[in-house]
């Protein structure tokens, strides 16, 4: 492979936050006409490193060379002046503006002076060149996630970026959308752009990139050509040791009906229909995976079972293992559900904003659902402290003390605290939303193990996931939601990723195979 | 274009701000001491420049303002009592992130209710009348606070504006009542003073010591309430995140209303204590706008009722200092003393930035504090 011209060289870059070294002496080159994957576990410093290129942070040490010339990047504007553009994980678009308005935003302070025709022409030119599909007059609030991402990329190309950084671009996309994205990325590479993709998904690295740079604990430990890499090699480089990447899937033991949802219709906070007449069953000793693009209603589904959403119609019936008569959960809040003796554990998507109290320590967080225990007006101190201590030991939570505010812990440790508490309640139903989002491989596998343990104990597990590979490997059945409707319930042991992906976007080409529920 | 950008951009930024994670308690207090020292230095220089008074005389005056005579020490405690009471009253509301700016109004309606009771039942013996006044004040304060709480809980109105507006209603209502009651002859004697049997008993030659005792007990109880009780836990969770509270099954509306009843009740109690034990009369200017000063007291203490003893003392100390300085020289008026208070507060609040952040200067430069 011919060596391409170097676009960026990072030399001895270091950055610390407080006492935490996010990057230590990183040396890295990014070349024109090449797709570089920046691979590393969460907290390995990938995003921090790229944020220094994008002008969000300023390095403590080291220098940055663009086209062999040393530069100082103090602000995003400096980055743009140097031809660097970054698409962040959270899009930075203005909802009420059109695509074109978002693109020229910041170019010219005066919105009235924009030559709309010229802008539209230039956008069209960019789209034709690389194969983007975008409507310049569409408002951002009418766009789906994939379209917003496309808009972000076109925006930075419009501003003349030659070096594009994409932070976890596929985290929000369906497999089909990801493929579409990879196609345009390859087109951009062929046009000579330098492209960096920040990711922790191995399959993606292997399929799209030309070269991989691996970060571990803030240091760049290796950089190899993708042709010489495979999943095993990359994982070992990322982790610094050998790991087993197989997710266990025990056979369900004696599954019985635990939760029956019938004709459930739910509105979200804005009053839009989030779930439309859905019916399914969750069995004990079984993991029911839920797949769907973001906003398809999976959040409302879990919240309505947990007693947190306004159910418009339908029923949610709970059947304890030893009773015949079901308990109706609709119309009850979490406290009333608890008082019925139903132990429902719920690991919500928003860990610090819903599942935990950030400013409180582990110990105080343990009592979030049990603070009313005891007859006096005072809260119990001893039991939560002991529980916090045992979770800290068993799940190896890294925290200075069980009184340290949990918001100061890293994402993986926060999730261990939350999952630990929910499992400690000895649930009959366990619901998790994006349980491993943002977690490193090690912690993710800890979480899978904990979930499987619950399954073996006969708990009915509902697992909302975004990584289809994980969903297919862990679940027994997969329920696919699209725009608030169930588009299929598949047997996870036999279905394919493509089938699920198609159902996620509402495709009707595939009939749900096998495990369709009777109403 | 790039060359241009480089010529502009080729210098490192002079300074950038970095968050500090782990400042030790000792270091925090050292920084605060440094801030006070800096404030004194600037104050001294400023006053000297304006009035020509020797800065050391100024510092001396600041100390004598509070500690000069036994009488001044007593006066300091007397001033501190209502301020601490209001700070403690605000603590649970602020902890719940309910921005109750209405302590002033809640105190005033409390005072109004206490005065009304004192006037209406002036023939009752003190042992009955005084508790009755207290009860009236607590109810009135609670009522004044519960209205914005109900509106917030059910219709999500802005509590800051609501409580602020309630202050004006309370102020003018007090002015009106004083005007009306002034006309009545008996008991209130042109409304200069409340009747004798409505006045707190004397302990160690002063009426207000009982008030101080009550406030300290309330502060201690509030500390326990916030740290150890189920109610305290609930309000802390609601303050952190309503979503988390709902997830835990906490009734957010109930907690909001209950906490504000408590907050308003304590502010109302302050009005009663002031009428019965400190001022012996009703006035819309009572306690010098402490309802607002108490916000600073509560924030500086991070809503910890015990720390508030320290922060409210500090506020009174600087107030005393300022008025002492203003009596030293013809150029030193009470407006000057307000400027001085402002300078000192600026430093005290400003130092919190240096406690939480660190400045990193360009290479070879030293690290900021």
């Amino acid at each position: 492979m011919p060596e391409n011209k170097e676009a960026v060289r990072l030399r001895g870059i270091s950055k610390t936050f407080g006492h935490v070294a996010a990057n230590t002496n990183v040396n890295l080159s990014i070349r024109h006409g090449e797709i570089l994957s920046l691979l590393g576990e969460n907290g390995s410093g990938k995003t921090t490193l790229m944020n220094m290129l994008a002008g969000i942070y300023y390095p403590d040490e080291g220098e940055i060379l663009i086209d062999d010339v040393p530069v100082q990047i103090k602000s995003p504007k400096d980055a743009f002046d140097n031809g660097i553009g970054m698409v962040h994980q959270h899009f930075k678009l203005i909802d009420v503006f059109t695509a074109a308005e978002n693109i020229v935003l910041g170019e010219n302070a005066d919105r009235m002076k924009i030559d709309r025709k010229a802008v539209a022409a230039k956008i069209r030119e960019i789209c034709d060149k690389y194969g983007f599909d975008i409507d310049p007059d569409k408002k951002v609030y009418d766009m789906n996630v994939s379209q917003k991402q496309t808009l972000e990329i076109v925006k930075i190309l419009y501003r003349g970026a030659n070096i594009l950084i994409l932070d976890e671009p596929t985290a929000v996309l369906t497999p089909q959308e990801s493929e579409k994205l990879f196609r345009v990325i390859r087109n951009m590479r062929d046009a000579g752009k330098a492209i960096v993709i920040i990711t922790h998904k191995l399959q993606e690295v292997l399929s799209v990139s030309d070269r991989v740079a691996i970060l571990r604990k803030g240091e760049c430990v290796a950089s190899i050509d993708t042709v010489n890499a495979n999943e095993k090699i990359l994982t070992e480089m990322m982790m610094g040791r050998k790991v087993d990447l197989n997710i266990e899937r025990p056979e369900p033991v004696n599954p019985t009906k635990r939760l029956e949802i019938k004709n459930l219709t739910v509105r979200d906070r804005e009053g839009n229909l989030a779930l439309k007449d859905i019916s399914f069953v969750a069995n004990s000793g079984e993991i029911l995976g839920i797949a769907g693009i973001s906003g398809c209603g999976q959040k409302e589904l879990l919240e309505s079972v947990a007693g947190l959403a306004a159910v418009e119609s339908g029923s949610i019936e709970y059947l304890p293992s030893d009773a015949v008569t079901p308990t109706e959960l609709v119309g009850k809040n979490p406290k009333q559900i608890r008082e019925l003796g139903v132990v429902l554990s719920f690991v919500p998507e928003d860990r610090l904003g819903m599942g935990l109290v950030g400013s409180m320590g582990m110990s105080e967080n343990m009592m979030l659902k049990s603070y009313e225990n005891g007859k006096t007006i005072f809260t119990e101190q001893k039991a939560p402290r002991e529980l916090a201590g045992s979770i800290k030991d068993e799940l190896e939570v890294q925290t200075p003390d069980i009184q340290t505010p949990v918001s100061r812990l890293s994402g993986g440790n926060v999730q261990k605290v939350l999952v630990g508490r929910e499992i400690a309640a000895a649930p009959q139903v366990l619901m998790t939303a994006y349980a491993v989002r943002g977690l490193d491989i090690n912690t993710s596998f800890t979480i899978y193990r904990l979930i499987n343990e619950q399954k073996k104990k006969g708990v009915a597990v509902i697992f909302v996931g975004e990584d289809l590979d994980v969903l297919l490997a862990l679940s027994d059945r997969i329920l696919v939601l699209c725009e608030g409707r169930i588009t299929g319930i598949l047997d996870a042991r036999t279905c394919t990723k493509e089938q699920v992906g198609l159902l996620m976007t509402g495709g009707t080409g595939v009939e749900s195979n096998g495990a369709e529920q009777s109403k | 274009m790039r060359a241009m950008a480089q010529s502009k951009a080729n210098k490192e930024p002079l300074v950038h701000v970095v968050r500090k994670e782990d400042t030790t308690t000792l270091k925090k207090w050292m920084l605060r001491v440094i801030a006070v020292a800096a404030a004194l230095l600037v104050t001294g220089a400023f006053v000297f420049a304006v009035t020509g008074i020797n800065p050391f005389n100024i510092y001396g005056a600041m100390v004598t303002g509070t500690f000069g005579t036994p009488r001044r020490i007593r006066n300091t405690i007397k001033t501190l009592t209502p301020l601490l009471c209001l700070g403690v009253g605000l603590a649970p509301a602020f902890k719940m992130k309910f921005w109750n700016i209405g302590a002033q109004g809640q105190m005033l309606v409390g005072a109004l209710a206490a005065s009304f009771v004192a006037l209406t039942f002036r023939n009752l013996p003190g042992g009955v009348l005084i508790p009755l006044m207290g009860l009236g004040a607590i109810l009135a304060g609670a009522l004044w606070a519960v209205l914005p709480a109900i509106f917030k809980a059910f219709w999500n109105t802005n509590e800051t504006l609501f409580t602020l507006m309630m202050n004006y209603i309370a102020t003018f209502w007090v002015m009106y009542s004083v005007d009306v009651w002034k006309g009545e002859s008996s008991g209130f004697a042109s409304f200069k003073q409340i009747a004798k049997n409505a006045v707190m008993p004397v302990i160690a030659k002063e009426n207000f010591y009982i008030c101080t005792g009550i406030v300290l007990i309330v502060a201690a109880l509030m500390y326990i309430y916030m740290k150890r009780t189920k109610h305290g836990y609930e309000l802390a969770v609601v303050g952190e995140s309503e979503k988390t509270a709902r997830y835990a099954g906490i009734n957010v509306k109930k907690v909001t209303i209950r906490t504000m009843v408590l907050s308003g009740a304590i502010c109302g109690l302050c009005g009663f204590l002031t009428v019965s034990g400190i001022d012996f009369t009703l006035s819309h200017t009572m306690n010098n706008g402490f309802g607002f000063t108490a916000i600073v007291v509560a924030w500086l203490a991070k809503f910890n009722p015990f720390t508030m003893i320290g922060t409210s003392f500090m506020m009174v100390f600087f107030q005393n200092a300022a008025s002492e300085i203003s009596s030293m020289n013809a150029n030193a008026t009470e407006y000057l003393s307000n400027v001085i208070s402002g300078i000192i507060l600026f430093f005290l609040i400003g130092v919190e930035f240096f406690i939480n952040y660190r400045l990193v200067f360009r290479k070879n430069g030293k690290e900021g504090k």
Side-chain angles (χ1 to χ4, degrees):
Chain A
M1 187 184 280
E3 280 288 285
N4 289 312
K5 199 173 162 299
E6 205 166 71
V8 180
R9 168 163 286 273
L10 303 176
R11 218 181 255 161
I13 297 284
S14 295
K15 177 78 189 170
T16 53
F17 296 106
H19 284 299
V20 184
N23 288 125
T24 318
N25 192 24
V26 175
N27 293 299
L28 181 70
S29 64
I30 303 167
R31 295 175 198 145
H32 286 295
E34 183 187 71
I35 300 171
L36 174 74
S37 282
L38 201 55
L39 181 70
E41 296 211 275
N42 275 90
S44 60
K46 309 178 296 269
T47 303
T48 307
L49 186 66
M50 288 302 112
N51 273 340
M52 286 190 270
L53 260 184
I56 310 279
Y57 297 138
Y58 189 82
D60 295 340
E61 277 171 45
E63 64 175 346
I64 299 172
L65 286 79
I66 308 277
D67 294 331
D68 301 325
V69 184
V71 294
Q72 299 291 339
I73 302 172
K74 288 182 295 198
S75 67
K77 192 177 171 305
D78 289 350
F80 270 122
D81 292 343
N82 282 301
I84 300 168
M86 182 160 171
V87 176
H88 296 270
Q89 244 171 319
H90 302 283
F91 302 141
K92 310 204 182 300
L93 297 169
I94 296 176
D95 266 0
V96 294
F97 281 10
T98 64
E101 284 167 343
N102 267 286
I103 286 169
V104 294
L105 195 75
E107 282 268 288
N108 188 337
D110 192 349
R111 235 180 116 201
M112 306 311 288
K113 279 191 189 159
I114 295 168
D115 181 352
R116 282 164 197 274
K117 268 188 192 157
V119 169
K122 195 170 164 192
I123 292 171
R124 214 166 302 121
E125 187 196 315
I126 292 170
C127 291
D128 292 345
K129 189 168 172 190
Y130 302 112
F132 291 109
D133 182 17
I134 201 169
D135 174 2
D137 294 322
K138 197 167 186 176
K139 301 267 192 192
V140 170
Y141 57 72
D142 284 331
M143 295 184 178
N144 64 31
V145 186
S146 168
Q147 289 168 326
K148 286 181 191 173
Q149 187 182 55
T150 308
L151 172 57
E152 284 275 17
I153 298 171
V154 172
K155 186 171 88 179
I156 60 179
L157 287 172
Y158 181 92
R159 295 186 188 175
N162 286 313
I163 302 156
L164 285 92
I165 305 164
L166 310 175
D167 192 357
E168 305 261 4
T170 60
V172 290
L173 303 181
T174 63
Q176 286 81 1
E177 289 169 336
S178 298
E179 262 317 308
K180 214 169 115 193
L181 173 70
F182 292 158
R183 271 202 301 280
V184 294
I185 288 178
R186 289 192 191 101
N187 289 340
M188 292 193 287
R189 173 202 50 203
D190 296 340
K193 307 265 181 207
I195 292 149
V196 182
I197 297 178
I198 302 177
T199 183
H200 60 251
K201 291 186 190 164
L202 298 170
Q203 292 93 335
E204 250 172 58
V205 172
L206 293 168
S207 72
V208 74
S209 65
D210 301 311
R211 199 159 55 92
V212 196
I214 295 126
L215 285 188
R216 188 167 74 223
K217 290 179 181 155
E219 291 175 56
C220 184
V221 290
S223 134
I224 59 170
D225 289 330
T226 310
V227 285
N228 301 324
N230 62 36
E231 277 193 35
K232 200 161 159 288
I233 295 175
L234 291 178
T235 314
E236 280 175 25
M237 284 180 167
M238 241 162 96
M239 307 286 292
R241 59 186 165 75
K242 285 194 195 331
V243 276
D244 181 10
L245 284 181
N246 289 319
I247 300 175
E248 188 198 5
R249 176 160 49 195
E251 283 297 318
V253 179
N254 189 20
T256 53
K257 211 190 267 183
R258 178 61 54 85
L259 211 53
E260 181 162 20
I261 279 99
K262 286 184 204 153
N263 308 99
L264 186 69
T265 299
V266 176
R267 283 184 193 277
D268 64 15
R269 293 203 200 299
E270 282 78 44
N272 305 315
L273 277 178
L275 290 175
K276 298 161 193 162
D277 192 26
I278 67 162
S279 302
F280 67 92
V281 165
N283 294 321
S284 67
E286 188 189 75
I287 298 179
L288 175 66
I290 301 205
I293 55 171
S294 71
C296 69
Q298 67 276 68
K299 183 173 147 226
E300 285 78 9
L301 175 59
L302 297 194
E303 289 186 358
S304 45
V305 176
L308 293 166
V311 173
E312 185 155 285
S313 63
S315 77
I316 302 169
E317 286 182 344
Y318 167 81
L319 294 109
S321 40
D322 51 355
V324 203
T325 43
T327 311
E328 178 61 56
L329 300 185
V330 167
K332 304 197 169 63
N333 68 30
K335 197 167 153 185
Q336 290 163 328
I337 292 174
R338 271 205 305 271
E339 283 163 0
L340 286 170
V342 179
V343 188
L344 245 174
S345 282
F346 178 25
V347 177
E349 175 184 359
D350 189 354
R351 295 162 198 165
L352 285 171
M354 188 184 231
L356 296 167
V357 183
S359 64
M360 291 181 181
M362 269 183 82
S363 173
E364 277 184 294
N365 268 299
M366 288 304 128
M367 34 190 222
L368 190 61
K369 284 178 160 179
S370 56
Y371 71 94
E372 286 180 301
N373 289 357
K375 289 195 183 89
T376 64
I377 59 160
F378 299 103
T379 51
E380 286 180 343
Q381 304 292 317
K382 204 173 148 210
R385 242 196 330 260
E386 283 170 358
L387 179 58
S390 69
I391 287 176
K392 179 175 186 258
D393 295 340
E394 275 169 39
L395 301 186
E396 293 167 348
V397 179
Q398 301 295 317
T399 172
D401 189 272
I402 53 168
Q403 309 297 352
T404 306
V406 291
S407 60
R408 295 229 202 114
L409 309 186
S410 72
N413 287 308
V414 167
Q415 184 69 327
K416 281 181 188 174
V417 174
L418 177 55
V419 172
R421 183 189 71 204
E422 290 305 294
I423 285 176
Q428 288 135 343
V429 178
L430 171 65
M431 300 187 288
T432 65
Y434 310 110
V436 297
R437 178 184 282 174
L439 305 191
D440 59 37
I441 292 182
N442 243 338
T443 317
S444 300
F445 275 79
T446 306
I447 303 286
Y448 301 146
R449 178 173 58 77
L450 291 169
I451 289 173
N452 268 325
E453 273 171 20
Q454 294 301 305
K455 169 183 170 182
K456 285 185 222 162
K457 279 186 187 164
V459 175
V461 180
I462 302 179
F463 178 91
V464 173
E466 49 198 341
D467 188 335
L468 290 185
D469 293 303
V470 171
L471 267 175
L472 286 167
L474 184 69
S475 316
D476 296 297
R477 288 184 298 142
I478 296 180
L479 184 157
V480 190
L481 280 175
C482 175
E483 293 178 357
R485 285 183 211 283
I486 295 179
T487 46
I489 298 176
L490 309 172
D491 182 346
R493 284 176 177 77
T494 56
C495 70
T496 65
K497 208 163 134 181
E498 285 65 36
Q499 279 177 307
V500 178
L502 214 58
L503 290 172
M504 277 163 73
T505 47
T508 47
V510 184
E511 283 303 311
S512 52
N513 67 346
E516 173 77 68
Q517 284 299 310
S518 55
K519 300 233 162 135
Chain B
M1 185 182 164
R2 189 175 297 162
M4 214 178 73
Q6 277 167 14
S7 66
K8 264 195 309 188
N10 235 340
K11 265 187 181 170
E12 253 185 62
L14 176 63
V15 60
H16 54 275
V17 178
V18 178
R19 204 182 157 80
K20 277 201 271 196
E21 291 293 345
D22 43 8
T23 317
T24 59
T25 315
L26 178 73
K27 223 173 158 188
K28 279 182 193 168
W29 283 104
M30 270 167 57
L31 282 170
R32 292 196 178 110
V33 170
I34 292 171
V36 171
L40 292 178
L41 216 67
V42 173
T43 311
F46 174 75
V47 176
F48 178 73
V50 177
T51 64
I53 303 171
N54 178 347
F56 286 98
N57 291 346
I58 292 167
Y59 302 145
M62 291 177 103
V63 178
T64 53
T66 294
F67 297 107
T69 62
R71 194 188 138 74
R72 280 189 175 162
I73 296 176
R74 282 203 301 278
N75 270 340
T76 302
I77 299 173
K78 189 160 127 184
T79 321
L80 187 148
T81 299
L83 183 58
L84 177 61
C85 187
L86 293 171
V88 170
L90 288 178
F94 281 6
K95 181 83 184 172
M96 196 174 65
K97 300 219 170 85
F98 187 104
W99 306 123
N100 178 13
I101 310 298
Q104 180 78 12
Q106 290 145 23
M107 172 188 76
L108 284 174
V109 291
L112 183 67
S115 307
F116 174 77
V117 172
L119 190 69
T120 313
F121 305 105
R122 56 181 162 255
N123 298 324
L124 285 176
V128 181
L129 181 59
I130 293 174
L132 212 58
M133 288 165 68
L135 189 70
I138 285 171
L139 288 176
L143 174 74
W144 223 241
V146 82
L147 288 175
I150 289 171
F151 275 78
K152 164 95 172 178
F154 288 94
W155 299 287
N156 199 26
T157 53
N158 181 320
E159 75 271 20
T160 313
L161 283 176
F162 206 129
T163 49
L164 188 68
M165 291 303 145
M166 296 291 280
N167 288 339
Y168 295 109
I169 301 174
T171 305
F172 289 111
W173 196 0
V174 167
M175 287 165 81
Y176 168 78
S177 300
V178 168
D179 229 23
V180 170
W181 291 342
K182 204 163 58 184
E184 296 190 18
S185 52
S186 59
F188 265 88
S190 308
F191 212 76
K192 287 216 171 65
Q193 267 201 338
I194 52 170
K196 267 218 176 88
N197 48 349
V199 172
M200 284 276 179
V202 173
I203 290 180
K205 290 186 196 160
E206 293 285 0
N207 303 86
F208 67 83
Y209 284 141
I210 289 188
C211 302
T212 312
I214 291 173
V215 171
L216 287 175
I217 291 168
V218 170
L221 290 177
M222 180 54 77
Y223 179 84
I224 295 167
Y225 180 81
M226 284 170 65
K227 284 265 173 186
R228 285 281 179 266
T229 67
K230 291 170 182 172
H231 285 188
Y233 185 79
E234 285 179 333
L235 75 89
V237 174
V238 171
E240 182 73 18
S241 155
E242 273 189 36
K243 246 164 75 186
T244 308
R246 269 199 301 274
Y247 168 86
I250 293 170
N251 185 336
V252 176
K253 290 183 174 67
K254 189 172 123 190
V255 172
T256 305
I257 291 168
R258 184 182 68 204
T259 307
M260 274 311 285
V261 166
L262 182 66
S263 177
I266 295 173
C267 295
L269 176 77
C270 175
F272 153 69
L273 295 177
T274 310
V275 167
S276 174
I278 297 170
D279 284 359
F280 317 120
T281 184
L282 178 67
S283 152
H284 70 280
T285 57
M286 66 190 287
N287 285 339
N288 256 329
F290 272 0
F292 298 103
T293 316
I295 297 169
V296 183
V297 166
W299 265 100
L300 284 177
K302 307 247 159 70
F303 319 139
N304 179 329
F306 280 138
T307 318
M308 279 177 205
I309 299 174
T311 52
S312 55
F313 172 78
M314 194 175 73
M315 297 300 293
V316 175
F317 175 85
F318 286 123
Q319 216 170 59
N320 291 342
S323 65
E324 183 74 8
I325 293 166
S326 69
S327 65
M328 289 173 76
N329 179 309
N331 286 337
T333 69
E334 60 177 307
Y335 300 112
L336 182 69
S337 69
N338 288 339
V339 175
I340 294 168
S341 305
I343 293 173
I344 292 166
L345 259 185
F346 174 82
F347 274 88
L348 282 174
I349 295 171
V351 73
E352 297 297 314
F353 173 83
F354 291 98
I355 286 173
N356 291 317
Y357 297 93
R358 196 159 55 101
L359 298 181
V360 178
F361 289 93
R362 196 185 291 168
K363 234 171 255 172
N364 303 328
K366 290 173 300 192
E367 281 187 354
K369 25 177 190 170

